[in-house]
Amino acid sequence: MTEFKPLVFSGVQPTGNLHLGNYLGAIRKFVALQENNDCIYCVVDMHALTAQLVHEDMPTQIRSITAAFLAAGIDPKKHIVFNQSQVPQHAELAWIFNCVARIGWMNRMTQFKDKAGKDREQASLGLYAYPSLMAADILVYRATHVPVGDDQKQHLELARDIAMKFNLDFHDKIVPTGLGIDIKVGEEPVHAYFPMVEPLIDGPAPRVMSLKDGTKKMSKSDPSDLSRINLMDDQEAISKKIRKAKTDPDALPSETEGLKGRPEADNLVGIFAALADKSKADVLSEFGGQQFSVFKPALIDLAVEVLAPINAEMRRLMEDPGHIDAVLRDGGERARNRAEKTMNEVRDIIGFVR
Ligand code: AQP
């Protein structure tokens, strides 16, 4: 039984200030994975249109996410960094996947329900089809591993369903091309053109929560800026937001069990652990029994220590948009070549004449 060549893919939307959730849930993992993997990291600008069509500052937003990738330590020469709209093959494969995915599957997507809210009739068709484009983003490179935050888990399951249905429906067309690989899905052998993507959602902070409400995800679109730490926040802002973060009156527990039912405490300990590259248990063995008045200043110091160099480098990079655009153009060209190879194979499998 052969395996698909490991390839890491992930993307971030240029829809506002990047925050600590995006950093710990995604970008920090991107940096670690590039050591031992071939990686493609994408600014998913076409996804940005799904919730809001017109963005006055789209070019700045795209450059700012790219600057965050580079400032965090992603090497655009060894790997590929680009913006999605430079590779039209994503949209082409998404159309095919729109025809593979079933309405019933899409209706189960909780992110659509959350983002569309009560006025679902007014949500864009793009928002509904978002997970199909996300599947195409990944599978147009036949990528195998996707580092994401916990909120994206359901979309990756959908990507697996789409890949599986494509593999099964086109089985008899894939076999003669010799492009398929025999893989096992559970105990089932499947002749696959598209791999079953593996989400990489580990670590102590797979879902960073709002600093104002430990039951809500930290999010770019939260109207309260105090709910999140932005990557561009300076030392003073970071300090103020952590000092004002919601907590409960109790001291920190000594065991992780004691975090149950204490969402805000759990969130701050998880953030500390992720920033320090430790487990929550390690953090509690150091701070168990301490009040937040002791823990919060330590968290502020750590957050500033980790984020200040990224913040400074992002600012430096943003002063040279020409350099950022050159990185994106170079990455776009390399990504396009890979994506076009896949699309030619997909066109042949489907039977499109070319
Ligand atoms: N709170 C979070 N904790 C951990 N990971 C997170 N991610 C987002 N929020 C958290 C991860 O960041 C990556 C990029 O996300 P995105 O920009 O593509 O979209 P998003 O998930 O919609 O981000 P936001 O900030 O929550 O935006 P809005 O407010 O528009 O919904 C993904 O890997 C995501 O999992």
Side-chain angles (χ1 to χ4, degrees):
M1 198 89 31
T2 37
E3 294 282 337
F4 280 89
K5 193 166 168 273
L7 174 65
V8 172
F9 177 93
S10 197
V12 176
Q13 294 190 76
T15 47
N17 287 330
L18 280 178
H19 53 71
L20 193 61
N22 301 128
Y23 178 65
L24 295 177
I27 298 172
R28 194 173 168 98
K29 293 184 199 156
F30 299 178
V31 179
L33 284 162
Q34 66 174 350
E35 291 308 315
N36 297 314
N37 297 278
D38 186 12
C39 303
I40 303 179
Y41 295 129
C42 184
V43 182
V44 286
D45 47 11
M46 294 197 298
H47 281 279
L49 307 185
T50 57
Q52 179 191 326
L53 182 58
V54 181
H55 297 253
E56 299 302 339
D57 55 351
M58 180 70 100
T60 309
Q61 293 286 350
I62 293 170
R63 291 179 187 126
S64 156
I65 306 283
T66 313
F69 285 175
L70 304 184
I74 291 167
D75 182 341
K77 291 218 157 55
K78 283 201 189 131
H79 304 278
I80 294 181
V81 172
F82 72 107
N83 55 315
Q84 188 186 25
S85 58
Q86 297 215 38
V87 184
Q89 289 82 355
H90 288 231
E92 186 181 354
L93 186 59
W95 176 255
I96 292 164
F97 285 173
N98 283 347
C99 301
V100 174
R102 307 288 94 183
I103 293 275
W105 303 356
M106 308 308 280
N107 283 344
R108 285 194 284 276
M109 294 298 112
T110 56
Q111 181 171 293
F112 174 73
K113 290 179 195 162
D114 292 346
K115 291 202 170 177
K118 290 203 180 77
D119 203 0
R120 217 179 272 190
E121 296 282 308
Q122 285 305 314
S124 74
L125 184 55
L127 187 66
Y128 190 65
Y130 177 116
S132 171
L133 177 58
M134 179 167 158
D137 297 336
I138 301 160
L139 293 172
V140 81
Y141 303 101
R142 298 167 92 193
T144 55
H145 292 83
V146 185
V148 279
D150 181 62
D151 58 315
Q152 294 298 327
K153 197 170 170 188
Q154 194 185 34
H155 289 164
L156 288 179
E157 280 159 12
L158 185 92
R160 290 170 67 100
D161 290 344
I162 289 175
M164 182 66 133
K165 183 163 162 56
F166 183 96
N167 290 333
L168 294 177
D169 287 358
F170 287 102
H171 175 269
D172 294 347
K173 311 271 186 211
I174 296 169
V175 173
T177 64
L179 298 167
I181 292 180
D182 288 321
I183 57 168
K184 264 199 168 168
V185 181
E187 285 309 299
E188 289 296 307
V190 175
H191 191 67
Y193 177 72
F194 287 120
M196 296 290 110
V197 290
E198 291 287 340
L200 302 174
I201 312 176
D202 47 2
R207 185 183 288 244
V208 177
M209 309 308 272
S210 157
L211 298 180
K212 292 274 122 203
D213 178 352
T215 63
K216 261 175 58 185
K217 186 181 88 139
M218 185 178 283
S219 160
K220 294 180 201 126
S221 53
D222 192 314
S224 166
D225 194 50
L226 286 175
S227 69
R228 63 183 162 263
I229 293 174
N230 303 307
L231 288 195
M232 291 299 263
D233 280 346
D234 60 16
Q235 185 166 348
E236 201 181 318
I238 294 173
S239 171
K240 178 174 150 199
K241 289 176 180 181
I242 294 178
R243 270 191 283 111
K244 285 183 172 278
K246 186 176 171 199
T247 49
D248 55 45
D250 296 336
L252 283 171
S254 302
E255 313 276 336
T256 48
E257 265 301 288
L259 292 171
K260 285 211 175 112
R262 298 180 63 187
E264 283 82 19
D266 190 20
N267 189 36
L268 294 185
V269 171
I271 290 174
F272 194 112
L275 285 170
D277 257 333
K278 289 181 175 171
S279 66
K280 286 190 200 176
D282 288 340
V283 176
L284 291 180
S285 71
E286 190 182 342
F287 289 98
Q290 303 273 19
Q291 298 294 336
F292 283 103
S293 54
V294 174
F295 181 68
K296 279 186 171 180
L299 180 57
I300 291 169
D301 287 349
L302 177 61
V304 169
E305 185 189 318
V306 174
L307 298 180
I310 298 174
N311 181 315
E313 182 61 3
M314 274 180 79
R315 285 177 200 278
R316 193 188 69 78
L317 287 163
M318 287 299 283
E319 277 170 20
D320 188 357
H323 169 67
I324 295 181
D325 294 1
V327 166
L328 292 173
R329 258 196 315 276
D330 173 61
E333 196 179 327
R334 287 187 288 139
R336 224 164 21 246
N337 290 337
R338 290 199 191 194
E340 182 59 3
K341 180 171 180 296
T342 305
M343 281 318 299
N344 274 333
E345 293 172 357
V346 168
R347 291 176 198 124
D348 289 347
I349 288 168
I350 292 178
F352 289 155
V353 175
R354 66 181 177 96

